[in-house]
Amino acid sequence: MKHVKQYTSYALGAFGHDAFYATLSTYLVIFITSEVFDTANKTFNSHMIYMVSTMMVVIRIIEIAFDPMIGGAVDNTNTRWGKFKPWLMIGATISSIMLVIVFTDFGGLSTSNPTLYLVLFGISFVILDIFYSFKDISFWSMLPALSTDEDVRAKFGTIGRLGSTIGAQAVPITIVALVVWFSKIFSGAKGGAETRAGWIGFAVVVALVSFLGALATALGTKESKTLIREDTEKTSVVGIFKALIKNDQLMWLAVSYFFFALGYVVTNSLLLYYFTYVMNAAGQFTYAGWLMAILGVISVSLFPTLVAKVQRKAIYVGGITMMIVGYAVFLFAGTNSVAVMIAIAIFFFPYPMIFLAALMTITDAVEYGQWKNGTRNESVTLAVRPLLDKLAGAFANGIVALAAVHSGMVGAAKAGGVSAHQLMVFKSFMFYAPVILIVIAALIYFFKVSLTEDKHKAIVADLEKKLRAKKAEEEKTANN
């Protein structure tokens, strides 16, 4: 294959990137609720969990406002290594270091000096979030720069999503085993017990995988040079936000995807709690990870074939319909392991394809915005998807913390200690509310997003025609 080296390099970067994202968005909260604040004082535990989770939500929401400017900084970068790779490596290096730091109790300060712990955690999380944003935006905004061809671009998106799917699911597959193993090595823990040192060891592994994946992408990919990509100019801060607001298709997709991502992340983040406190089978969570990894590979692999036959809109809306069926099965599954695994399979299978449908729509919105507004903004446009994932992740972190506290699933709580009322509260967080969110997402995409594959091809052809004519006119004027 012509692009096999680039496909592989991009997939490796996506693998490390989503392993990092899964750890940050899902398992950091679990570490905080189960290991950092596990004292005998339940009031103190709940108060500190509220404080940390609120801080994370506020920090991410505030930082998200700067994401378009981060995209603008990337767009305005011009180096011998291109515009993306320098920021990719800077972001990967610093965010990896900070990930390990937030997976600590800062030398016992979480209990000996809670106020200082909150200050240090907040500073560390701000640094982590900013440089993760540079890495996230740089990585995914490379997609329209690798090719403007619809088919090649779809292959890059597919192989990237394949890597990210495997990377994201590698975390639930390995997390329990790694944390237990490191707990035994560093703390001498026995009988499958987990310790803070075990979690730090796990965080180090994820940080290394993230950094090495980014390095593979930086060394193995190459930006394409086309007439359309050359039609760019530096964008001001005001111009950045104008480019986003005027791109109506990007905005409608953004609203739809936010509701979808929030619903999905909340349910996915509470899955380990379900296995631990509802089923009393935390060890089986590894099997769920393997199931999702296998189905993710199949789902992503099917995307090119399906999108060629039914196009993106059917995949996005149809996939959400399938996820709703998965929710229904989940509600009747109870603690039956087989039924739960079937529910997970139905719920998760369409997710990678829905993500790809959204990603390719956002990617095509680069040319749509250039065609409609006369300005090409690759990183600014592609920054929208990471922005939405982080916004959904921020709200999800807060929701998961609330669900854990109000459902009695914190510290040393056991499955038998969860009351019927608490279980109903937990299901409301994990199932009922997310269903409403993803239904809203499907309706918005179906009725408001009109940027189809065929429309994008027509836009690219029109852009090329206009730019060739413009270039010919400029050459004619120069010759005269």
Side-chain angles (χ1 to χ4, degrees):
M1 293 175 64
K2 181 181 178 181
H3 302 283
V4 65
K5 179 183 176 182
Q6 294 197 75
Y7 289 150
T8 304
S9 301
Y10 200 63
L12 289 173
F15 177 92
H17 189 67
D18 266 49
F20 187 103
Y21 176 74
T23 301
L24 179 64
S25 64
T26 301
Y27 299 101
L28 177 58
V29 174
I30 295 175
F31 167 71
I32 290 168
T33 60
S34 63
E35 294 293 335
V36 179
F37 301 111
D38 61 346
T39 70
N41 188 338
K42 293 184 178 180
T43 301
F44 169 79
N45 295 341
S46 297
H47 172 72
M48 290 301 293
I49 290 170
Y50 277 133
M51 291 294 291
V52 174
S53 61
T54 301
M55 183 185 298
M56 291 169 66
V57 172
V58 171
I59 288 171
R60 301 202 87 176
I61 291 175
I62 293 174
E63 189 275 327
I64 281 165
F66 293 94
D67 272 12
M69 287 182 276
I70 291 175
V74 176
D75 268 336
N76 292 336
T77 298
N78 185 17
T79 72
R80 58 181 292 190
W81 302 283
K83 66 168 68 173
F84 308 104
K85 294 177 183 179
W87 291 115
L88 177 66
M89 292 312 304
I90 291 171
T93 302
I94 297 177
S95 64
S96 293
I97 293 171
M98 299 313 298
L99 181 72
V100 177
I101 292 175
V102 297
F103 268 90
T104 71
D105 61 358
F106 291 88
L109 290 177
S110 60
T111 51
S112 65
N113 193 334
T115 301
L116 183 55
Y117 168 83
L118 290 174
V119 171
L120 293 177
F121 180 88
I123 293 172
S124 301
F125 196 79
V126 167
I127 296 172
L128 186 157
D129 209 41
I130 289 172
F131 284 95
Y132 171 76
S133 293
F134 271 106
K135 178 175 181 279
D136 197 19
I137 291 169
S138 300
F139 181 82
W140 288 110
S141 60
M142 291 179 71
L143 192 55
L146 296 173
S147 178
T148 55
D149 180 87
E150 185 76 28
D151 294 331
V152 175
R153 181 177 284 182
K155 289 177 182 177
F156 269 111
T158 300
I159 199 69
R161 187 58 201 170
L162 180 62
S164 66
T165 298
I166 298 173
Q169 298 313 315
V171 178
I173 289 173
T174 61
I175 184 170
V176 174
L178 282 175
V179 172
V180 169
W181 186 75
F182 281 120
S183 297
K184 181 179 180 181
I185 296 296
F186 296 137
S187 306
K190 297 180 180 179
E194 299 178 2
T195 66
R196 296 174 188 177
W199 279 89
I200 294 172
F202 162 73
V204 170
V205 171
V206 174
L208 285 172
V209 169
S210 175
F211 174 80
L212 293 174
L215 184 62
T217 298
L219 295 176
T221 57
K222 183 179 180 181
E223 294 180 37
S224 66
K225 295 182 179 180
T226 64
L227 191 61
I228 290 177
R229 287 204 68 232
E230 290 173 0
D231 183 40
T232 58
E233 57 185 35
K234 288 195 173 183
T235 309
S236 66
V237 174
V238 175
I240 288 169
F241 288 96
K242 281 185 177 179
L244 294 176
I245 294 170
K246 289 182 179 180
N247 196 324
D248 60 291
Q249 288 301 289
L250 180 63
M251 290 296 95
W252 280 119
L253 185 279
V255 175
S256 172
Y257 184 76
F258 170 73
F259 282 113
F260 167 76
L262 180 58
Y264 172 80
V265 174
V266 168
T267 297
N268 192 54
S269 298
L270 290 171
L271 197 56
L272 181 55
Y273 287 89
Y274 192 92
F275 274 84
T276 303
Y277 298 104
V278 178
M279 296 176 62
N280 194 25
Q284 294 183 19
F285 188 64
T286 298
Y287 304 132
W290 276 109
L291 177 63
M292 288 186 286
I294 293 169
L295 291 176
V297 171
I298 297 172
S299 178
V300 172
S301 301
L302 288 174
F303 179 79
T305 302
L306 287 178
V307 78
K309 293 181 179 297
V310 299
Q311 297 203 334
R312 292 190 295 247
K313 181 166 286 191
I315 290 176
Y316 193 95
V317 177
I320 288 177
T321 302
M322 184 174 178
M323 290 177 72
I324 293 170
V325 174
Y327 276 117
V329 175
F330 233 130
L331 286 172
F332 292 101
T335 58
N336 184 291
S337 297
V338 175
V340 168
M341 291 299 177
I342 292 173
I344 291 173
I346 298 172
F347 170 78
F348 178 78
F349 181 75
Y351 168 71
M353 287 192 280
I354 296 171
F355 174 93
L356 275 171
L359 177 63
M360 301 315 299
T361 304
I362 295 173
T363 304
D364 287 354
V366 172
E367 284 78 36
Y368 176 80
Q370 183 179 6
W371 173 73
K372 184 178 180 181
N373 305 318
T375 304
R376 183 178 180 85
N377 301 100
E378 292 175 336
S379 293
V380 170
T381 302
L382 269 293
V384 168
R385 202 279 310 158
L387 181 155
L388 295 169
D389 272 332
K390 286 193 298 179
L391 185 61
F395 280 110
N397 283 338
I399 292 169
V400 169
L402 285 172
V405 171
H406 287 287
S407 304
M409 300 178 181
V410 297
K414 302 296 182 182
V418 178
S419 68
H421 172 71
Q422 288 174 324
L423 182 59
M424 178 58 66
V425 171
F426 179 75
K427 287 183 177 180
S428 296
F429 279 106
M430 185 172 180
F431 301 126
Y432 304 133
V435 165
I436 295 172
L437 293 172
I438 66 172
V439 167
I440 293 172
L443 292 173
I444 292 173
Y445 193 99
F446 184 81
F447 288 107
K448 291 295 184 179
V449 178
S450 59
L451 182 56
T452 63
E453 293 89 329
D454 292 337
K455 185 172 182 177
H456 175 256
K457 288 179 181 179
I459 287 171
V460 170
D462 191 47
L463 277 173
E464 289 176 339
K465 180 181 177 181
K466 290 179 179 178
L467 291 172
R468 280 196 296 266
K470 179 181 176 182
K471 188 174 182 179
E473 185 64 28
E474 289 173 349
E475 291 175 349
K476 181 178 178 181
T477 301
N479 292 331
N480 292 335

